[in-house]
Amino acid sequence: GQSLEQPSEVTAVEGAIVQINCTYQTSGFYGLSWYQQHDGGAPTFLSYNALDGLEETGRFSSFLSRSDSYGYLLLQELQMKDSASYFCAVGAAGNKLTFGGGTRVLVKP
Amino acid sequence: DADVTQTPRNRITKTGKRIMLECSQTKGHDRMYWYRQDPGLGLRLIYYSFDVKDINKGEISDGYSVSRQAQAKFSLSLESAIPNQTALYFCATSDSPGGETQYFGPGTRLLVL
């Protein structure tokens, strides 16, 4: 089966940088996805890493190290609207995702 | 119009009742998924389908059944609802090879009394 570990909560101030780590155990690993979910909303896709390295999309970046079974999501220049839960998810055999428990990010003024 | 819609958005039912949650999509995707989310927790996969003839169980399928009536429609049924099925239910679609990019509906909040 698959299992993922990510911190439950992170607090930071506007303008700061936050890194959300995700470690996973899985068989047949395909890649690591990240999703954002605001309170009361649906998850929305942020990024995907299939290969080692850093993927940058605006203020958000995602990193993967397959050899370490580890990835992270980097949120830069934090804004109040970034207050949300962030989920890592591993893709494996069967073309489906297994989600982590989520990291709640609270951005303070 | 939303690409992935779910009905109803909220539902209160009693223990033992049969209920159906519906999902429709206009994205033209073959892959559709049903998830359950409990407060403060991540999403757990209930069932998924790659086309109308391909239905697969997820990690928590007991107590649930599904029907893929067409490419665009995927319904989730609770045959005999119980209180621990109280949760937020999401439908999702995907056209990415490994299902890594999924598009979620707005969710159905279900309360079983």
Side-chain angles (χ1 to χ4, degrees):
Chain A
Q2 289 85 30
S3 67
L4 298 94
E5 296 269 349
Q6 54 180 126
S8 59
E9 191 169 303
V10 173
T11 301
V13 297
E14 272 188 298
I17 298 174
V18 161
Q19 179 173 314
I20 302 170
N21 298 320
C22 176
T23 58
Y24 59 86
Q25 291 184 321
T26 185
S27 56
F29 177 82
Y30 287 179
L32 187 68
S33 299
W34 289 92
Y35 285 78
Q36 178 192 60
Q37 184 181 28
H38 286 100
D39 283 349
T44 56
F45 173 78
L46 288 177
S47 68
Y48 173 67
N49 295 69
L51 303 175
D52 286 358
L54 191 67
E55 295 280 344
E56 298 180 71
T57 309
R59 294 185 296 112
F60 294 178
S61 303
S62 58
F63 171 83
L64 175 65
S65 170
R66 295 172 71 111
S67 60
D68 295 323
S69 298
Y70 163 76
Y72 66 72
L73 179 70
L74 194 69
L75 315 179
Q76 302 180 77
E77 301 172 22
L78 272 179
Q79 301 176 8
M80 295 298 292
K81 66 179 182 179
D82 297 331
S83 290
S85 293
Y86 294 83
F87 297 89
C88 59
V90 293
N95 297 315
K96 55 186 170 71
L97 295 180
T98 298
F99 285 81
T103 299
R104 190 172 183 85
V105 173
L106 177 61
V107 182
K108 294 187 172 181
Chain B
D1 287 340
D3 295 320
V4 184
T5 58
Q6 294 183 234
T7 56
R9 296 293 314 276
N10 295 279
R11 179 74 184 268
I12 300 174
T13 191
K14 294 182 178 179
T15 298
K17 294 291 187 181
R18 181 181 188 277
I19 67 162
M20 179 182 291
L21 310 182
E22 300 190 352
C23 176
S24 295
Q25 53 117 345
T26 58
K27 300 186 76 68
H29 293 168
D30 287 327
R31 296 185 171 94
M32 296 188 74
Y33 306 80
W34 274 105
Y35 292 93
R36 166 182 174 155
Q37 186 174 36
D38 295 283
L41 299 179
L43 297 133
R44 290 184 292 168
L45 184 63
I46 305 172
Y47 271 95
Y48 58 107
S49 169
F50 294 153
D51 65 39
V52 293
K53 297 181 181 179
D54 184 3
I55 306 290
N56 304 280
K57 292 183 177 181
E59 59 180 305
I60 55 164
S61 58
D62 287 348
Y64 302 95
S65 62
V66 291
S67 172
R68 184 83 183 265
Q69 303 94 321
Q71 187 207 35
K73 295 184 182 296
F74 193 33
S75 300
L76 176 72
S77 294
L78 286 67
E79 297 301 326
S80 179
I82 57 177
N84 77 0
Q85 291 178 313
T86 293
L88 183 56
Y89 290 85
F90 286 104
C91 171
T93 74
S94 179
D95 65 346
S96 51
E100 61 270 16
T101 306
Q102 297 190 11
Y103 301 88
F104 284 79
T108 294
R109 195 169 296 275
L110 175 65
L111 173 60
V112 183
L113 300 175

